[in-house]
Amino acid sequence: MTVRFLSDEWAQALKAELNESEDFRQAASGHKATIQQIITGTEGTTHYWITIGDGKIDLGVGDIDGEDATITQSYDSAAALAKGELSPVTAFMTGKLKIAGNMGMILGLQGALAQLPAAMAKIDVEY
């Protein structure tokens, strides 16, 4: 089944893939985070959130209260990151990805967040 990038179905499929991944579980173990994502595009802005705790992830479309950090990026950058075509470090260093809030927490989650492109590769996503 094909899911549209940043849709509710995409969020559920990505959550399932990550929660089934032993690599993600190990990388996320011992970390706790609430992250708000803001994706800007020509068709408007999409918000989605991520929570990580106990080696598991939850995510959904919309806003969340009490975020530790907010990550803002364009749709094109988000798609390139999801496909593994752009590294998060390069995106940040070139200003394609902006982080507000607890930067240290985000850096501590690099291993867990690096698992997203592998999980995305297992999902049939329409960009």
Side-chain angles (χ1 to χ4, degrees), residues 7 11 18 28-30 49 53 58 106 108 110 114:
S7 68
L18 288 167
S29 181
W49 53 267
D58 193 12
I106 295 293
Q110 271 191 308

Side-chain angles (χ1 to χ4, degrees), residues 52-71:
I52 296 173
D54 298 322
K56 294 191 182 241
I57 191 168
D58 193 12
L59 65 133
V61 175
D63 292 312
I64 193 163
D65 290 327
E67 68 273 8
D68 299 306
T70 300
I71 299 173

Side-chain angles (χ1 to χ4, degrees), residues 74-98:
S74 71
Y75 180 91
D76 291 340
S77 294
L81 285 162
K83 295 175 190 177
E85 297 171 353
L86 176 64
S87 88
V89 173
T90 300
F92 179 74
M93 297 302 279
T94 59
K96 293 180 178 182
L97 182 140
K98 294 177 175 61

